[in-house]
Amino acid sequence: MGVLWSFVRYSGTIHRQSRPPEPVFSVNHVPDLTGRVILVTGGNDGIGKETIRALLEHNAKVYMASRDQKKAEAAIEELKDKTGKEALFLKLDLASLASVRQAASQFLSLERELHVLYNNAGVSNTPIDWLTDDGYDMTFGTNIVGHFLLTQLLMPALQTGKITSPDHYARVIWLSSFAQYLSPLDFDAFKDTPQRRRTGSDIMYCQSKLASVMLAREYARRYGEQGIVALSVNPGTYLACSARGHIHEHSYATGNIYTGILRHASKVNLAFTKLFIKRYPVEYGALTQLWAGTMPEALTHNGEYVVPWARIADRARSEAYDDQICARLWDWLENEVKEN
């Protein structure tokens, strides 16, 4: 009943985010980004690729950090044809902490500065048997554990980037979703435990998106005075979550933009979504994180949750404002990613 109750409790907020007014902000408002170094994880498809396209068009130097080099190189070539600018490939598998460390080391050997980090990549609805190389739930491990380690390792470049940024800030943008409203965190489910298997991959996705909101707030709290701005973003993407009780199972599928993240979604969720949910072009999906990562107005909202299309949310899930839970998540992640 947890997800059903959460859906009812936050139904008004979810509805406002899934049926937003037409955007006021557009890519034409993005300032000139000459001299900015920006890294986008998972940018070879969907919202990430559209974000990179806009960044290139505004003269940023962009790294596309992706697991699949062949797909990334194809996307880079496509974007070059469209923009006349070329993104740079960085090999990154967020489901492997060794790969994250290697990617961060490679980036730091190439660049002293990083002005914006988009923690954009993510998976959802993965088979429950899938684990990361380090034994974490595939969804939570990819979406959160890998990104946390990457952000920590790139903090020296972010600290240097703020010095040369025209606004004297560096930014970390965490991709979230209105899935974050549907489940609190269960620390016993992050690894392969009986609790995780009872929870299911759909709810693990919801938990990962709440963790994104919490980490943005925690980064703002810990690094805000050092010139680091962190925001979480609901770009308007699909979510699919199931509420499993002892007797009934209720499935909810709600969303706005169709991207590659749907590749593991069930046929039932896909069918429901196509029938009942208003759809928007993928270009809309990049708007909110472009605003968060480039616009001066975003600097006054450090730690906040941004929703379609480039609006500050009235609220996130209540646990996101609990400093003790946010600190517990931070401490857990720090302990998990430290090298022995």
Side-chain angles (χ1 to χ4, degrees):
M1 291 294 291
V3 172
L4 178 60
W5 167 244
S6 294
F7 192 88
V8 172
R9 179 184 178 189
Y10 293 103
S11 59
T13 301
I14 292 172
H15 178 75
R16 286 191 294 275
Q17 291 178 35
S18 61
R19 294 277 180 168
E22 283 298 307
V24 175
F25 171 75
S26 77
V27 294
N28 295 328
H29 294 113
V30 174
D32 178 58
L33 300 172
T34 298
R36 310 280 185 98
V37 179
I38 301 176
L39 191 154
V40 181
T41 67
N44 60 272
D45 192 17
I47 291 170
K49 185 168 72 173
E50 188 61 28
T51 299
I52 291 176
R53 182 186 66 79
L55 296 172
L56 291 172
E57 288 177 342
H58 289 82
N59 303 312
K61 183 178 185 180
V62 186
Y63 283 83
M64 180 186 291
S66 301
R67 176 178 57 85
D68 191 318
Q69 184 167 351
K70 185 176 180 180
K71 290 182 179 179
E73 289 175 347
I76 288 171
E77 191 62 30
E78 177 189 339
L79 290 170
K80 185 178 179 181
D81 290 342
K82 290 181 177 179
T83 68
K85 312 289 178 57
E86 188 170 1
L88 302 168
F89 172 68
L90 182 70
K91 178 73 172 178
L92 171 67
D93 181 357
L94 289 161
S96 165
L97 297 185
S99 174
V100 174
R101 290 191 173 91
Q102 186 174 6
S105 178
Q106 176 69 10
F107 180 85
L108 293 173
S109 73
L110 298 169
E111 301 288 348
R112 292 183 60 253
E113 305 167 340
L114 178 61
H115 299 97
V116 186
L117 170 61
Y118 280 103
N119 287 328
N120 166 84
V123 296
S124 70
N125 306 107
T126 57
I128 195 63
D129 291 332
W130 288 14
L131 300 172
T132 70
D133 289 358
D134 305 279
Y136 302 103
D137 172 80
M138 178 60 76
T139 301
F140 196 87
T142 300
N143 296 359
I144 296 301
V145 183
H147 273 129
F148 178 81
L149 176 59
L150 180 68
T151 306
Q152 291 295 86
L153 293 174
L154 294 181
M155 190 55 68
L158 289 164
Q159 296 280 17
T160 304
K162 73 181 183 186
I163 298 171
T164 58
S165 175
D167 55 30
H168 302 298
Y169 289 92
R171 310 190 197 198
V172 181
I173 310 303
W174 291 84
L175 203 69
S176 184
S177 161
F178 43 71
Q180 56 100 359
Y181 291 105
L182 300 186
S183 176
L185 296 186
D186 182 352
F187 287 78
D188 293 330
F190 297 163
K191 293 185 175 179
D192 192 22
T193 61
Q195 178 63 21
R196 169 183 166 271
R197 290 181 175 268
R198 285 193 295 269
T199 299
S201 60
D202 292 345
I203 302 303
M204 294 311 302
Y205 176 73
C206 298
Q207 291 192 38
S208 77
K209 293 305 165 181
L210 174 59
S212 294
V213 178
M214 295 168 72
L215 285 173
R217 289 183 55 79
E218 194 66 6
Y219 268 96
R221 187 178 73 83
R222 292 173 184 254
Y223 290 101
E225 292 184 358
Q226 300 177 38
I228 304 297
V229 169
L231 297 109
S232 56
V233 167
N234 167 16
T237 50
Y238 168 96
L239 69 88
C241 294
S242 301
R244 293 179 174 85
H246 295 296
I247 302 174
H248 302 291
E249 178 173 304
H250 304 280
S251 294
Y252 303 96
T254 177
N256 306 106
I257 295 165
Y258 294 82
T259 70
I261 202 169
L262 288 169
R263 59 189 173 274
H264 301 300
S266 70
K267 292 181 179 179
V268 172
N269 277 324
L270 285 172
F272 183 93
T273 302
K274 289 178 181 179
L275 281 172
F276 296 107
I277 302 303
K278 183 176 180 179
R279 287 184 263 184
Y280 298 93
V282 70
E283 291 81 4
Y284 275 42
L287 290 177
T288 304
Q289 62 181 19
L290 283 169
W291 181 88
T294 68
M295 296 300 290
E297 296 86 346
L299 298 176
T300 62
H301 297 284
N302 203 359
E304 295 192 50
Y305 174 53
V306 194
V307 299
W309 311 107
R311 298 176 298 124
I312 300 300
D314 49 0
R315 60 172 176 164
R317 187 177 171 94
S318 59
E319 287 88 344
Y321 305 104
D322 188 317
D323 290 343
Q324 286 188 327
I325 298 177
C326 290
R328 182 186 175 191
L329 174 63
W330 182 281
D331 292 343
W332 184 89
L333 287 165
E334 270 199 330
N335 183 66
E336 291 298 315
V337 303
K338 68 181 180 183
E339 292 189 275
N340 296 324

